[in-house]
Amino acid sequence: MEYVEKYKERFGVYPARVLADQLYCSRANRKSLKEKGIMLAAKPLGRPSSKAVGKHVRPGERNPIEGKFGQAKNGYGMSRIRARLKKTSQSWIASIILVLKLVKLAGEQPLCLTFSAMQQLRNAWISAIELTLRPLATTKPVQL
């Protein structure tokens, strides 16, 4: 529930839906989420009804999330953090997540470069046209 409260602190409202694994879905957490009107996307307790089966998260839906954690641990060393202080560990984790996001943005970079190159070309054309037209604007009109 700490994460739900931090979400409310950050965005001003509770999340509409929480995607959680089995460990998080204790009876106390389920009750607290229900009181706050937050939908829990997880496997229901007991024998599920046909209606409840449609709402729970299938294992494949968490694969992208778990995959990013695996990438952070194996590829970027999140599993090798050995800081003594809590704030130092949090800083390392935040920096690794930042690198993950930068890598994702780098994949979109060629598209950004295309737009940037088009903008530079447009600015060069405008400058060339202005340089060409500037002398014409300063000359006196010819009378016939």
Side-chain angles (χ1 to χ4, degrees):
M1 291 308 298
E2 178 184 346
Y3 297 108
V4 173
E5 294 301 327
K6 283 185 180 180
Y7 183 95
K8 182 170 194 261
E9 256 182 53
R10 187 173 191 187
F11 297 107
V13 294
Y14 285 113
R17 185 176 182 204
V18 172
L19 177 66
D21 58 2
Q22 201 170 12
L23 184 64
Y24 182 82
C25 298
S26 65
R27 290 185 190 275
N29 284 348
R30 287 174 187 268
K31 182 180 176 186
S32 183
L33 289 173
K34 190 173 184 177
E35 288 171 357
K36 291 176 174 44
I38 302 170
M39 190 175 103
L40 175 63
K43 187 175 178 182
L45 292 175
R47 185 178 179 132
S49 66
S50 60
K51 187 173 104 178
V53 169
K55 288 195 291 186
H56 91 275
V57 179
R58 287 166 180 70
E61 290 181 53
R62 285 194 54 89
N63 282 351
I65 298 166
E66 298 295 336
K68 277 296 168 192
F69 280 118
Q71 182 182 5
K73 287 179 179 178
N74 296 329
Y76 296 96
M78 190 182 281
S79 62
R80 296 186 299 269
I81 296 173
R82 300 284 186 251
R84 293 180 187 266
L85 299 175
K86 181 180 177 181
K87 287 188 176 190
T88 309
S89 294
Q90 290 172 343
S91 298
W92 274 102
I93 292 168
S95 63
I96 290 171
I97 291 172
L98 174 68
V99 168
L100 283 170
K101 289 183 180 188
L102 289 173
V103 167
K104 182 180 178 187
L105 286 174
E108 299 168 3
Q109 182 189 19
L111 182 63
C112 297
L113 283 177
T114 304
F115 290 127
S116 176
M118 286 176 25
Q119 184 69 28
Q120 288 178 355
L121 183 62
R122 181 179 164 270
N123 291 342
W125 275 101
I126 290 172
S127 297
I129 291 170
E130 286 177 353
L131 287 173
T132 306
L133 295 178
R134 189 175 296 146
L136 295 176
T138 59
T139 59
K140 294 181 181 176
V142 178
Q143 297 210 359
L144 298 173

